[in-house]
Amino acid sequence: MSSSAEECAGGKTSWPEVVGLSIKEAKKVILKDKPDADIIVLPVGSPVTEDLRPNRVRIFVNTVAETPHVG
């Protein structure tokens, strides 16, 4: 096993390579490394609990993808 800071006994713990990808693509990469991941997508700055859940992976997003409109 790698001695990298992003690896631990349970496997990979961070995915800097997904920064800039779509949520769909980021999920695909994360699930390839951690098939049992419970992926949660949240807006940047969202309040989150500080409890540790080994299968939880949070993706924080801050980009508006389309023009908001009434309708």
Side-chain angles (χ1 to χ4, degrees):
M1 180 171 291
S2 170
S3 62
S4 166
E6 67 180 37
E7 301 269 346
C8 71
K12 197 165 181 179
T13 60
S14 67
W15 291 264
E17 67 273 23
V18 306
V19 173
L21 297 181
S22 69
I23 294 168
K24 182 178 178 179
E25 287 299 315
K27 284 182 176 182
K28 188 184 298 184
V29 171
I30 293 166
L31 289 170
K32 181 180 175 193
D33 292 332
K34 189 171 185 65
D36 64 339
D38 176 18
I39 299 173
I40 301 168
V41 180
L42 300 163
V44 169
S46 293
V48 295
T49 60
E50 293 186 27
D51 62 315
L52 177 61
R53 292 180 40 209
N55 292 337
R56 179 177 56 207
V57 177
R58 294 177 175 135
I59 298 176
F60 293 94
V61 297
N62 69 349
T63 304
V64 176
E66 295 183 14
T67 303
H69 63 275
V70 173

